[in-house]
Amino acid sequence: MNDSNELATDWKIPSFEGFSEIQEIDPPVFPAHVLPQQLSAFCGELARVAQAPIEFSASACLATLSACLGKGIIIPNAFRGDSNKPTLQIILAGESGSGKSGVNKPIIAPFNRWIEKQRKSFVEINLPNYKARAAILEGEIAQKTRNAVRTANSAERDICQAEAANKQAELDAINRLGTFPSYLLEDCTLEAMAVYLGKNAQTGQETVFAVSDDARQALSTLMGKYTNGEVSDNLFVKGFSWSPHSQHRRKEGGSVELLEPCVNVLFMIQPDLLDRIISQPDLMHSGFLQRVILDEVSWPVTDYCDPGAYCGAILDGWESLVTGLLDFYRTAKTPYQASCSKEAKDALIAYYNRLNARINNPGDLGDIQSVARRWAEWAWRLALNFHCIIYREKAIEIPLEVQTAQNGIVLSEYYAQRKLFALNCTRDNRKQEVRSRILDLAQDKEFVLAADVQRKRLARTAAEARLPLDQLAAAGHLKRLEVRLPKGGPPSYRYYLPEKYPIAPATNAINEINAEIPQPF
């Protein structure tokens, strides 16, 4: 056996030839057949005029329609005791100049027109009443304050001050009600987003749609532009699941208590920013990357022939769909409750159960369990969105059908494959790092056990630890020795560097073990 000092001097990390986690991968075909008819027709028109790939336009449309539903509908006790929510968070990547903005404009236009209609109604009907009441309260506060100053009686002074404080609280509430809701946000800090959500709750839903056709600035903010590099995505995470959020700031109006905030997301970015997102560990540790749907869309350059204007009937249909969902669901004070047929629920649960074997397999999805566990949830949410697109306001009367559930599963599988593709490089780098650290460990020890890999926190379970050890052995970087105890039981395995492997492994290993067992006199 070579001297350990010589090994340390001569050692070089191998290239890991023979490992091929990243292979040639053809992107899956977008399952356009699962889209509801009206959505499919609109996406077809976007393909004709703007040459938009179906996977891009359909994803953008689904994010927008999900925002139209807001917190207006749920399916109670849908899965694992939780309700099924319609909220989607989608990030689409495409090269600059491919046409993302041109596609986003007709998609979001009905939403913007609806907002302007709401603003006009608010200014004409509600705002005058709020201003009139605010003016009365301001006068009463001023009067109570003057009375408190003029009176010499301390008891009367305390009463006046208390009444003025109560009037001020009522005035603050009126001023909040007199603020028009922020339905769309493009770029703001999460602290500001929390304030907007709190104001929105005064007049309706704790809901906002974070949307941008060039989200570089918005994602830079999320990744720590204003927080010294510290990722601040917790409100996105909570906004996906409608979890409570508290924010306490010294600045006036900066403190807010959110009961069930809802944050829909549609961000369009360039591929380089996608690379930054998936290589940011904090975004994975926080849960943001697990929840968000990621798709880097191939948008090839093709010859252009003037297709003429958009079809008016199809645009009208899209306008009707968007405004109809906004009017019925986005303005609901409390969520409507929909139902799910037994067959649909069984199909969605079966999909979750099918994923379990892959999630529990260290050689498949075991290294990204938290990512894969969201795929079944995506299927539920996509199915609910499909259900509302098909039946609109009648979706609360008609149970979600099995075909709709299956369509949600098919689309979730597509997004899962795209997520895996986006994460391939990060996963491979992690596996390479684990193998390198195992070989470093083998340099310092006579042999390596799966338990050693676990102790170094390179794996959580014995099965997960044995996988890279066996891969290294199969590639010839380590040699594996099976050891059986004399009293029986399952074998254990030792992993040696080839130059450290015992000359007579079977005899030496058994003798070594037997020497540790007390012998009878």
Side-chain angles (χ1 to χ4, degrees), residues 2 6 28 47 71 82 180 231 277 325-326 360 402 426 449:
N2 293 333
E6 293 179 3
K71 290 179 61 180
D82 197 7
F180 184 71
V231 169
I277 293 171
L325 296 180
L326 286 166
N360 292 328
V402 64
T426 302
L449 303 172

Side-chain angles (χ1 to χ4, degrees), residues 260-518:
E260 291 185 322
C262 168
V263 181
N264 295 87
V265 175
L266 172 59
F267 286 157
M268 300 178 183
I269 60 175
Q270 286 78 41
D272 70 293
L273 190 53
L274 177 63
D275 293 339
R276 284 180 56 196
I277 293 171
I278 61 179
S279 62
Q280 173 58 262
D282 287 346
L283 290 177
M284 182 68 77
H285 298 157
S286 68
F288 175 76
L289 277 180
Q290 287 88 330
R291 290 164 171 79
V292 70
I293 290 172
L294 295 174
D295 195 357
E296 183 177 4
V297 179
S298 175
W299 198 322
V301 178
T302 57
D303 292 340
Y304 184 76
C305 297
D306 184 10
Y310 282 99
C311 172
I314 293 178
L315 288 183
D316 289 345
W318 175 248
E319 182 106 18
S320 173
L321 176 60
V322 169
T323 56
L325 296 180
L326 286 166
D327 285 336
F328 190 76
Y329 293 104
R330 184 59 183 80
T331 58
K333 298 295 184 182
T334 57
Y336 292 106
Q337 295 190 1
S339 61
C340 183
S341 70
K342 182 181 183 305
E343 295 79 10
K345 194 169 189 177
D346 289 346
L348 288 160
I349 291 174
Y351 174 55
Y352 173 84
N353 291 337
R354 286 198 305 272
L355 286 172
N356 284 341
R358 299 187 62 194
I359 292 172
N360 292 328
N361 181 355
D364 191 356
L365 300 175
D367 62 315
I368 52 168
Q369 290 187 26
S370 59
V371 173
R373 289 183 186 278
R374 291 290 172 180
W375 298 348
E377 186 175 6
W378 288 354
W380 273 98
R381 293 179 181 229
L382 290 166
L384 179 55
N385 275 272
F386 285 164
H387 182 63
C388 293
I389 294 169
I390 295 169
Y391 293 110
R392 303 193 187 191
E393 68 274 9
K394 292 185 178 179
I396 60 177
E397 303 171 7
I398 301 172
L400 192 150
E401 299 157 334
V402 64
Q403 185 60 56
T404 306
Q406 290 169 348
N407 289 343
I409 292 169
V410 170
L411 187 52
S412 179
E413 276 288 287
Y414 167 82
Y415 285 132
Q417 292 301 314
R418 300 305 294 153
K419 188 71 159 283
L420 285 178
F421 182 79
L423 295 177
N424 258 338
C425 185
T426 302
R427 294 176 72 194
D428 188 64
N429 290 341
R430 168 62 178 166
K431 292 172 184 176
Q432 298 278 30
E433 179 189 357
V434 169
R435 292 169 187 147
S436 294
R437 292 181 64 182
I438 288 173
L439 291 175
D440 288 341
L441 187 62
Q443 274 293 104
D444 298 332
K445 298 172 65 69
E446 182 181 355
F447 54 83
V448 178
L449 303 172
D452 296 321
V453 178
Q454 290 177 268
R455 291 189 190 100
K456 293 294 184 179
R457 297 190 63 80
L458 300 176
R460 290 162 293 184
T461 65
E464 187 179 342
R466 285 194 296 269
L467 179 65
L469 288 167
D470 288 337
Q471 289 175 334
L472 286 165
H477 300 298
L478 293 176
K479 296 189 73 172
R480 188 176 78 169
L481 173 63
E482 179 179 319
V483 179
R484 291 183 178 273
L485 293 172
K487 293 184 178 180
S492 63
Y493 298 95
R494 296 176 176 180
Y495 296 84
Y496 296 81
L497 290 173
E499 58 269 31
K500 290 185 177 183
Y501 193 69
I503 297 173
T507 303
N508 289 353
I510 293 173
N511 289 341
E512 181 183 339
I513 293 171
N514 288 339
E516 299 172 359
I517 300 174

Side-chain angles (χ1 to χ4, degrees), residues 181-182 185 188 191-201 205 207-208:
S182 300
L185 294 177
C188 67
E191 290 79 9
M193 181 182 290
V195 172
Y196 286 124
L197 282 163
K199 290 179 179 178
N200 288 356
Q205 298 178 4
T207 304
V208 74

